[in-house]
Amino acid sequence: MSTKKKVLNGILLVGIVAFTCVGVNFAVEKQNNKFDVLLNNIDAYASGENEPGHYTGAINVYCKKPEGRSGCANDPDPTRVCTLNIFCTKY
């Protein structure tokens, strides 16, 4: 085999390995994001609220669904309080 073919095959092999590693990394990251969402849902069910209209860990937002309403959306800051009675499914 000539030197050009060896170099080309080496570059091709490195490219395939790099492409595979990037694909695996994206797949793992996507799975971690799904797991985080699942844990947030479990946490939302487990943590009790003080009363309707006083949701901790949420902020007041304008909802896209239900349309034209104001409601609450999750917020990563646990000290925030939403003063509205509904949760937006989309905002």
Side-chain angles (χ1 to χ4, degrees), residues 28-70:
V28 167
E29 185 65 32
K30 187 176 180 182
Q31 186 65 30
N32 286 343
N33 288 342
K34 287 181 183 178
F35 187 67
D36 289 342
V37 168
L38 186 64
L39 284 179
N40 286 341
N41 286 341
I42 292 170
D43 186 39
Y45 283 121
S47 62
E49 304 296 345
N50 299 339
E51 59 191 47
H54 188 80
Y55 296 106
T56 56
I59 56 172
N60 296 349
V61 294
Y62 292 106
C63 302
K64 289 182 183 175
K65 195 170 188 181
E67 190 174 343
R69 302 280 310 262
S70 294

Side-chain angles (χ1 to χ4, degrees), residues 3-90:
T3 305
K4 286 183 181 180
K5 285 186 178 181
K6 287 180 183 179
V7 170
L8 185 60
N9 285 340
I11 292 172
L12 184 63
L13 180 65
V14 168
I16 290 171
V17 168
F19 184 76
T20 303
C21 290
V22 168
V24 167
N25 193 15
F26 281 136
V28 167
E29 185 65 32
K30 187 176 180 182
Q31 186 65 30
N32 286 343
N33 288 342
K34 287 181 183 178
F35 187 67
D36 289 342
V37 168
L38 186 64
L39 284 179
N40 286 341
N41 286 341
I42 292 170
D43 186 39
Y45 283 121
S47 62
E49 304 296 345
N50 299 339
E51 59 191 47
H54 188 80
Y55 296 106
T56 56
I59 56 172
N60 296 349
V61 294
Y62 292 106
C63 302
K64 289 182 183 175
K65 195 170 188 181
E67 190 174 343
R69 302 280 310 262
S70 294
C72 300
N74 288 335
D75 190 73
D77 183 2
T79 61
R80 293 214 172 176
V81 175
C82 179
T83 58
L84 302 172
N85 289 329
I86 64 169
F87 259 91
C88 299
T89 55
K90 289 186 180 180

